[in-house]
Amino acid sequence: RDKGVVGFGESVQVSADILDADGTVDVANLWYSVNGGTYQSDEMILTAGNTYVGNIPAQSDSSIVSYYVEAIDNDGNVSTNPSDTVKNAYFYYVLNRDLTIQDIQRSPFGGGWSGYNGYEVTVSGVVTADSSTITAAGGEVFIQNGSGPWSGIQLFGTAVLNLKLGDNVTVTGTVYEFHSFTRIEGLDDPASVVKNGTAAVPEPSDVSTSDVGDLGNGDLSA
């Protein structure tokens, strides 16, 4: 899509390279759903080479928009990207406010991937684990903006190595899914990490193994 963080009143353009190796592409559609409603389609237009473009109109504040691309070839064969259009459909939030860690982390359909994967984001939080408590190449630093589900995220890059427990920071980096783990990468430039003083460290949440032990992969409560 043409923008990572989608604001209130902004339309979104989605591009896809589509190629049929043994024939031709008959039609390409961009399917989108708003807040879990019925999927609607926009026929994608071939613009150059193998690139097709479709549009999702602007939506109201706090909407969740899921979408996928469908291609049909000259033999009637159908393919979609992603292949699982239920759990793993692409999605984004329409926001009339600043982005939060919860927006980045929450995967409402159970696929586990962030709606901002591959896009640059700016987000704030308090350091809850620093490189003195978790040691690894590149540093293991986590921030939270409160307690509860979806409230924490890992930071990765040399510019976070000197962060300490309780630092209140604003970071600008790229969301990346690493072995089913969502983190913010590219934090090597000192300018990508801004310290805003210190703050109280969020209280940890107790989670019992009996609460999660029988839940399956993709279960949102897990």
Side-chain angles (χ1 to χ4, degrees), residues 128-135 140-142 165:
T128 54
D130 58 32
S131 57
S132 69
T133 54
I134 305 175
T135 58
E140 296 283 353
V141 177
F142 290 78
L165 192 71

Side-chain angles (χ1 to χ4, degrees), residues 18-26 50 71-79:
I18 305 174
L19 175 66
D20 182 24
D22 61 356
T24 58
V25 177
D26 187 35
N50 299 313
I72 306 172
D73 73 1
N74 57 300
D75 293 319
N77 299 307
V78 180
S79 65

Side-chain angles (χ1 to χ4, degrees), residues 88-105:
N88 291 323
Y90 300 115
F91 69 95
Y92 59 86
Y93 298 100
V94 177
L95 301 175
N96 192 23
R97 56 169 172 75
D98 291 337
L99 196 69
T100 67
I101 296 173
Q102 286 87 346
D103 300 322
I104 298 170
Q105 282 283 28

Side-chain angles (χ1 to χ4, degrees), residues 117-135:
N117 182 53
Y119 296 101
E120 184 178 90
V121 299
T122 298
V123 73
S124 300
V126 179
V127 176
T128 54
D130 58 32
S131 57
S132 69
T133 54
I134 305 175
T135 58

Side-chain angles (χ1 to χ4, degrees), residues 9-21:
E10 293 184 332
S11 60
V12 170
Q13 186 178 88
V14 176
S15 302
D17 289 336
I18 305 174
L19 175 66
D20 182 24

